[in-house]
Every structure is written in C-alpha cells, then in structure tokens.
Amino acid sequence: MTAPHPLVTRARRLADDLLVPHAEQVDQGEVPVGHLTEIRRSGLLGLNAPKEYGGAEAPGAVVRETAEILAGACCSTWFVQTQHHTPVLTLARSEGPVRERLLGRLATGELLSGVAYAHLRAHPRIPVRAGRERGGWRFDGKVPWYTGWGLNDVVLLAGVTDADEALFAFAEARDQPGLRASAPMRLAALTAARTVSLDLDGLWLPDEAVALRTPYRDWAASDRLKTVNANPAVFGIAEAALRLADEETAGRLGRRLARVRAEAYTLADEAKPHEHLEDRLALRSQAYALMQTATTAAVVTGGGRAMLLTQRAQRLAREGLFLLVQGQTGESRRAHLNALGRQGRGEPRA
C-alpha cells in the first residue's frame, strides 16, 4: 500500500486535531486567524506552486484529496484558503514582475490571497471596468462577492478593459482610496468566511501589479473547462455527512458516491480538458444530488436534535446548499436544473 502524500497527512492532522473539533463554533462566528496560521505553516497553500518558489507542485489527486478533507472538516476554513490557489496558479503562468514579487511569498504561506473575479462570468454585463490611467489601471464598479476580508493579505482583482480583455491585478486586501468593503454579509452558510462586496471608485494599480491580460473570450473558454468538473468539496461534505448517518444508509450511499467520484476524477485525469463536457456536467450534477441525499440522511438520523446549531448535521446540510451555487456559471446552472427536472419526472439522472 502506497503511503499517503505528506500534504494529505498534514491535512488530515489539521482536520482531526483542529478543524473538526471547532467547526460548529466557527460556523457561528468567523474563521479564526489561528486556523489560517496553521494552514500557512502546513505547506498546503503551496499545493499548486512551482517547487522553485517553495511550492509542492502536487499531483491533481493530492489537490483533490486535501480539498475533500478540509471541506468536510470545516467548510468555512476550506473556502477561505481555497481562494488562494487561483492567484498562485495565475502567477505561475505570468511573466510580469508581479510573479517575482509575490509568487514565493504566496507559495510559502507568508501571504494569503483572496480573489475577486467571479463577476467576469456576468459578461456581456461588466460589473468592474479596468481602464488605462497614469501608466497603470483604474478599476471602477462593484465586486458582488469577496471572501476572506480581514483575513487575506492581498486580493487578485479582475476587470474588463475597453478592448474586451480580462485583466487581473493584485492589490492589498484593505480599505484604501478607490476601494471600500461592505460589512461582512450574514449568509445561510459560511458567514464565518467573512464575505463582503467591494465598491471600486477609481482604484489605481500600476502595470507592475498586473498578473494577466488576455482577450475575454480566451479567459472565458478556459474558465468554462474548470467549471464543468465535479467539485472535490462536494465529496468531502457528503462523506462527512455519511459518517453521521445510520450504517445501512451510509453503506448504500457511500458505494454510489465512490462510483461517481471515480468516474469524475478519471475524466479529470485522463481526458483532455475540452473532451466529454456533457459527461462532466452530468457527473457534477450527480455529485450534488448525492451530497444533498447524504446531508439529508444525516439530519434524518439525528432527528430533532439535528436542528440545534451545535449539531454537525444541520451545518453540513447548510454548507451543502452553499456548494450548490459556489462557482456556478450559466452552463452549469442549466445542466443542474435539467438534471433536477429529469429526477422530478422519474427519469435516470445521467
């Protein structure tokens, strides 16, 4: 039997010793700085980073397994730290000076980054514009959702230029001239992740802060390929919920979950990114359905006490609701709704 990857071992230790014991408390408050300090120390923030910058360049299977572990343990903490990996990957592919300035510090966990780019998916509506000004870029508009405010050090901010380009640049994650955050939002789940909206009114960033500038259509095509795959966090929440369900139900659902996971991950590893898109979306929808069934089973097993905010089952059920819409695009929404419609008519799910 092959020994687990060291980062998987560290993720499990963090989950068992720190995240799971405090998850219900965190859910009713906010992600503690101490949780993120331990994640910074663990090396998990460098999962995808190049080794020459202090990262691990971990295989996809390791990246997925650590995501499952962290999400199943404390979804709020997982969600704050998962934002960090997109900036790392963006810098790893960048050729600008910001790569040398930030990639090593992000890879080693010295800095924690958030992201503000999901609004790009609203195109042709443009919530955030980026225009040339004084040898740099001026950002105007509103970022509807930004996670980790007050916890992150920097933010990877995206806007659309007059030439219909997607432009990504780094800024400090704090109130400053041209950038103002709302109060943290009260959400049905993951309020602890400190999600705010950002008002941009002339935020100026120099050219040296730019990590990516590319035609919007090219960015959108690449983004689409990432959003058709099943989210490992969904499997993590489902497995955590099955540990609370009765043995017979957990056994049946666990076998179905293992099949869907295996099929989804096989496509992710063996097929080319643009292949089997319909199959990937179908498996994504099946994973959602199994997660909802698993969290429902946990609540039913727990009975009335599952409604207490101190109980794990209701937290996992609410976190599952959050994952239904996290990273959602128009295409994934349509595929999911079509799958739900087929279930309502008694047709096969996929």
Side-chain angles (χ1 to χ4, degrees), residues 14 36 55 58 69 92 104 107 125 134 155 172 181 196 209 216 237 277 296 323 335 337:
L14 272 173
L36 298 176
I69 292 167
R125 185 169 61 84
R134 295 183 287 118
V155 50
E172 292 186 33
V196 300
Y216 177 83
I237 292 290
L277 298 185
T296 300
L323 292 180
L337 290 173

Side-chain angles (χ1 to χ4, degrees), residues 27-46:
D27 176 63
Q28 295 303 304
E30 64 180 48
V31 174
V33 171
H35 279 28
L36 298 176
T37 297
E38 292 305 315
I39 287 175
R40 290 175 191 252
R41 291 172 176 166
S42 71
L44 289 165
L45 294 180

Side-chain angles (χ1 to χ4, degrees), residues 139-335:
F139 288 81
D140 292 280
K142 184 164 187 172
V143 175
W145 306 95
Y146 177 79
T147 294
W149 187 256
L151 300 170
N152 296 323
D153 302 300
V154 294
V155 50
L156 180 61
L157 172 65
V160 177
T161 71
D162 291 340
D164 206 34
E165 301 163 308
L167 185 139
F168 290 73
F170 281 91
E172 292 186 33
R174 60 175 178 81
D175 282 330
Q176 57 189 288
L179 187 160
R180 182 171 56 85
S182 72
M185 300 177 191
R186 295 293 301 172
L187 305 173
L190 275 71
T191 288
R194 293 186 62 86
T195 296
V196 300
S197 61
L198 301 177
D199 286 320
L200 304 170
D201 184 14
L203 174 68
W204 184 85
L205 297 174
D207 280 333
E208 291 75 17
V210 174
L212 175 66
R213 183 181 175 188
T214 188
Y216 177 83
R217 64 180 179 275
D218 293 346
W219 176 85
S222 175
D223 180 64
R224 178 187 182 232
L225 297 179
K226 292 182 289 187
T227 56
V228 299
N229 290 318
N231 183 350
V234 170
F235 297 117
I237 292 290
E239 283 208 334
L242 290 181
R243 288 194 284 271
L244 303 177
D246 73 274
E247 185 175 350
E248 182 180 356
T249 302
R252 291 200 308 269
L253 290 176
R255 289 188 288 273
R256 290 164 55 191
L257 188 71
R259 177 185 61 80
V260 171
R261 179 202 278 114
E263 292 181 14
Y265 289 174
T266 295
L267 282 180
D269 286 338
E270 298 181 4
K272 295 180 179 179
H274 62 277
E275 293 178 339
H276 304 290
L277 298 185
E278 290 188 6
D279 292 337
R280 293 173 193 254
L281 283 167
L283 288 164
R284 177 184 170 111
S285 297
Q286 289 180 55
Y288 283 143
L290 283 167
M291 175 186 68
Q292 288 185 281
T293 302
T295 56
T296 300
V299 170
V300 172
T301 302
R305 68 181 182 276
M307 292 298 97
L308 295 171
L309 291 177
T310 55
Q311 294 296 304
R312 189 156 297 163
Q314 54 75 32
R315 172 178 62 81
L316 292 169
R318 288 186 290 105
E319 290 173 347
L321 289 175
F322 170 82
L323 292 180
L324 294 180
V325 296
Q326 186 258 326
Q328 186 183 66
T329 65
E331 182 180 31
S332 66
R333 182 188 298 111
R334 287 190 296 273

